């Protein structure tokens, strides 16, 4: 065995024999970390081929059974996973510290522990600390095993002894593989530990949850290959200062990646929010200007949210632009469209945009709601309390066609809204809910003028 020094990028896993300021693989700066690796003599082709090689099969001979899913007892989590936990799947759960990752995984044990054996492996807490937290959450079941361990080999032995149906690893950054000569949390350690758990999950048919830390930019810490190795990647989003949490799937081999789950953090743990629209609109001030209601699609679910805008005269040389829950570059674009196409003067005003409830919206169908909120705040005009706004705004000021308008209007009608301003071409061939009025407009200037007249 020989030991050599190798530099590995913490972002993409690029390897180099010498230190580089900028990674040639992903272009990131100061991400090359030194790692000591042990190398062995390569096996010959004859010796390597004699060890457990799988024989190729015709696709018609391959059998599988992913139809039976294990329900977690948490409806919002089952929705995001695509109906439940698939046997033998490897699920990565990431999120900011204190967002509720460990709380969610412990709550999974309450329902699944009734019919399954669960092994909870923690590299950050002792068994006593885990039990104390489980008692606070009301999670006590005889089939839940706890172990505080960071050695991957020892954890694999525990899995072999207990033979659990579900394994929870909290967290992957604390795991240490004795055959890798580097510190826990480094790129080789994370990669090799995940690889070992993946092979165990697939070979033994064990469903496995892995908790992953995130960087200050919100991305999962460690090599990018970590996300490629697992079957499902879940992100827990939200502001720790607010009660709502959003669980979003960014990768799912066994389901949709468009679904979200909404939770509320309370003193007894995470509670499902059955109607996210009603929860997010709670406390909406109908008499205030600069507030509009939009409907965004999260998978098969329409979610109503409140867009708040505040436009004030600037006290600086350059006006400020800030946003929370909306991409700031999108806000810049929409402000430019309002100035050019709707003849609004915002060059001497500060503009602040916020999505109430801590929700983050990336869908362009909320563009119209943002523009209306900015315009009404500038003019200090109150919007009708029963109206929502749906539409994508183009650079020419035109309102572009949007998808699933019928579902959006139905969701709005269920919550008591009776009117909407939408792109005119989107109204073709759809069924409008009873006692509901949809106003079709072609341009942002037309929509803004309609609101000002009201």
């Amino acid at each position: 065995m020989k030991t050599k020094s190798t530099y590995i990028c913490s972002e993409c896993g690029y390897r180099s024999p010498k230190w580089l300021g900028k990674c040639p693989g992903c272009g990131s700066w100061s991400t090359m970390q030194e790692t000591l690796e042990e190398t062995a003599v390569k096996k010959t082709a004859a010796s390597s081929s004699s060890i457990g090689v799988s024989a190729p099969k015709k696709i018609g001979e391959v059998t599988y059974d992913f139809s039976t899913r294990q329900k977690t007892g948490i409806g919002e989590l089952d929705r995001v996973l695509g109906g439940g936990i698939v046997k033998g799947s490897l699920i990565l759960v990431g999120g900011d510290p204190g967002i509720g990752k460990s709380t969610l995984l412990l709550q999974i044990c309450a329902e699944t522990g009734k019919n399954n054996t669960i092994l909870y492996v923690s590299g950050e807490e002792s068994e006593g600390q885990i039990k104390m937290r489980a008692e606070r959450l009301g999670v006590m079941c005889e089939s839940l095993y706890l172990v505080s361990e960071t050695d991957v080999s020892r954890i694999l032995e525990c899995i072999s002894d207990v033979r659990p149906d579900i394994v929870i690893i909290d967290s992957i950054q604390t795991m240490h593989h004795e055959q890798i000569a580097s510190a826990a949390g480094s790129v080789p350690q994370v990669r090799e530990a995940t690889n070992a758990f993946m092979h165990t999950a697939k070979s033994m048919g064990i469903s496995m949850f892995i908790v992953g830390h995130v960087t200050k930019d919100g991305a999962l810490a460690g090599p990018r290959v970590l996300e490629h190795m697992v079957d499902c990647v879940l992100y827990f989003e939200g502001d720790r200062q607010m009660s709502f949490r959003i669980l979003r799937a960014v990768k799912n081999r066994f389901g949709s990646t468009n679904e979200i789950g909404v939770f509320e953090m309370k003193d007894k743990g995470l509670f499902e929010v059955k109607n996210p629209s009603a929860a997010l609109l709670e406390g909406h001030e109908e008499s205030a200007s600069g507030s509009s209601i939009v409907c965004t699609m999260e998978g098969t679910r329409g979610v109503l949210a409140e867009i708040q805008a505040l436009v004030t005269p600037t006290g600086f040389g350059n006006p400020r632009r800030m946003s929370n829950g909306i991409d700031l570059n999108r806000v810049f674009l929409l402000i430019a469209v309002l100035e050019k196409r709707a003849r609004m003067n915002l060059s001497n005003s500060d503009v602040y945009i916020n999505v109430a409830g801590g929700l983050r919206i990336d869908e362009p169908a909320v563009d119209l709601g943002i523009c209306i909120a900015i315009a009404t705040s500038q003019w200090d005009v109150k919007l009708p309390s029963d109206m929502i706004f749906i539409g994508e705004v183009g650079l020419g000021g035109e309102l572009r066609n949007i998808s699933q308008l019928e579902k959006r209007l139905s969701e709005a009608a269920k919550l008591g809204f009776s009117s909407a301003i939408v792109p005119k071409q989107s109204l073709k061939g759809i069924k409008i809910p009873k006692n509901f009025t949809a106003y079709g407009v072609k341009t942002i200037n037309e929509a803004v003028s309609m609101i000002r007249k009201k």
Side-chain angles (χ1 to χ4, degrees), residues 256-284:
S256 172
T257 57
N258 296 319
E259 298 288 355
I260 66 166
V262 184
F263 299 87
E264 185 176 6
M265 177 66 81
K266 298 182 179 179
D267 56 348
K268 294 295 183 179
L270 290 163
F271 290 80
E272 297 177 70
V273 178
K274 300 293 186 181
N275 191 339
S277 299
L280 292 170
L281 295 181
E282 188 177 1
H284 169 55

Side-chain angles (χ1 to χ4, degrees), residues 18 49 174 383:
K18 62 180 182 178
S49 62
T174 61
L383 283 169

Side-chain angles (χ1 to χ4, degrees), residues 100-119:
K101 302 184 297 295
S102 301
T103 299
L104 177 65
L105 294 177
L106 264 180
Q107 289 184 230
I108 293 174
C109 302
E111 183 67 23
T112 56
K114 297 177 181 178
N115 303 312
N116 298 279
T117 302
I118 305 173
L119 176 62

Side-chain angles (χ1 to χ4, degrees), residues 9-21:
C9 175
S10 60
E11 294 292 330
C12 66
Y14 182 87
R15 305 165 71 91
S16 172
K18 62 180 182 178
W19 184 84
L20 300 171

